[in-house]
């Protein structure tokens, strides 16, 4: 199961994530957590990049930068102003990651991880610049991200919500409030959707 970052440089389209559907205009970043049911409709001539990250690799990255988990707490679309984009290394890091992907010379994996780290740092900075009225949204995103990781590793065990909450050292109501606020769904619904995805 893979997390995805879709970066559209040219061309408009529509993104469907879970039950939500929205139009986007370029440049736009779309962040899709592993297991999220999603799809895209792109107009002809659309160009950009798609980066897929395994849950295992994300866990390694989390060890170096815990904030990365918040990026994949729930599906998100960020429309970026051109002036804002010029103040980042985002385009270059996508380009360099794609170029390195085509190579097979010595240091390939090392370079791939380096460019991926630069790319994610830029995405994180852009996401952090978005104002929010909810002072707890960062904490809630981290909580939902941790919950999604647990679900990914343990959904086959048919554990109760209380077990998940106890493992995360939060109350069931805290977990429920965070999931509804960030993912728009209850925790039990997220678990059921992961089980359904496996069945499909």
């Amino acid at each position: 199961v893979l997390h995805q970052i879709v970066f559209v440089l040219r061309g408009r389209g529509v993104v469907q994530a879970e039950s939500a559907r929205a139009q986007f205009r370029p440049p736009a970043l779309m962040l899709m957590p592993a297991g999220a049911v999603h799809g895209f409709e792109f107009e002809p001539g659309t160009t950009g990049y798609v980066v897929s990250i395994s849950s295992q690799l994300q866990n390694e990255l989390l060890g170096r930068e815990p904030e990365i988990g918040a990026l994949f707490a729930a599906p998100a679309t960020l429309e970026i102003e051109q002036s804002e984009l010029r103040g980042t290394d985002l385009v270059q890091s996508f380009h360099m990651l794609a170029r390195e992907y085509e190579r097979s010379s010595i240091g390939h994996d090392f370079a791939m991880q380096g460019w991926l780290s630069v790319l994610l740092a830029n995405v994180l900075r852009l996401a952090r610049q978005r104002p929010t009225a909810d002072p707890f949204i960062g904490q809630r995103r981290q909580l939902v991200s941790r919950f999604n990781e647990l679900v990914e590793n343990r959904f086959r065990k048919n554990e109760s919500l209380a077990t998940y909450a106890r493992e995360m050292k939060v109350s069931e109501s805290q977990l429920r409030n965070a999931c509804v606020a960030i993912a728009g769904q209850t925790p039990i619904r997220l678990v059921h959707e992961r089980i359904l995805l496996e069945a499909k």
Side-chain angles (χ1 to χ4, degrees), residues 4 11 26-28 30 39 43 48 60-61 64 67 71 77 90-91 95 107 110 120 127 136 152 168 183 192 194-195:
Q4 282 193 324
M30 282 150 282
E43 68 181 18
E60 291 174 22
L61 293 166
R64 302 204 305 267
E67 290 294 316
L71 291 177
T77 299
L90 193 64
V91 176
H95 175 71
F110 187 55
L120 289 171
F136 302 109
E152 188 61 37
M168 297 174 71
H192 287 164
R194 183 61 188 91
I195 293 168

Side-chain angles (χ1 to χ4, degrees), residues 17-19 175-191 193:
E18 304 297 351
S19 57
L175 181 57
R176 186 184 189 286
N177 290 342
C179 287
V180 170
I182 299 300
Q185 296 182 355
T186 62
I188 200 69
R189 178 73 181 159
L190 292 173
V191 174
E193 288 201 348

Side-chain angles (χ1 to χ4, degrees), residues 143 146 150 162-172 174:
L143 183 59
R146 281 170 47 218
L150 270 182
T163 303
Y164 280 108
R166 192 163 52 249
E167 177 77 18
M168 297 174 71
K169 296 180 175 55
V170 296
S171 68
E172 287 183 59
Q174 281 177 305

Side-chain angles (χ1 to χ4, degrees), residues 4-11 13-15 17 22-33 40 42 46-51 53 71-72 74-81 84-85 88-95 97 116 118-130:
Q4 282 193 324
I5 303 175
V6 180
F7 183 39
V8 177
L9 280 165
R10 292 186 202 86
V14 176
V15 56
Q23 292 184 334
F24 62 83
R25 59 169 181 77
L29 267 173
M30 282 150 282
L31 308 171
M32 293 295 158
F40 301 97
F42 299 113
T46 297
T47 60
Y49 299 92
V50 179
V51 173
I53 302 169
L71 291 177
F72 301 105
T77 299
L78 307 176
E79 289 187 348
I80 309 162
E81 296 298 328
E84 189 180 17
L85 188 61
T88 73
D89 300 314
L90 193 64
V91 176
Q92 183 189 14
S93 56
F94 269 105
H95 175 71
L97 186 65
L116 180 61
V118 172
L119 188 158
L120 289 171
N122 278 271
V123 173
L124 190 59
R125 289 166 187 164
L126 284 166
R128 280 291 182 200
Q129 287 171 13
R130 295 299 185 271

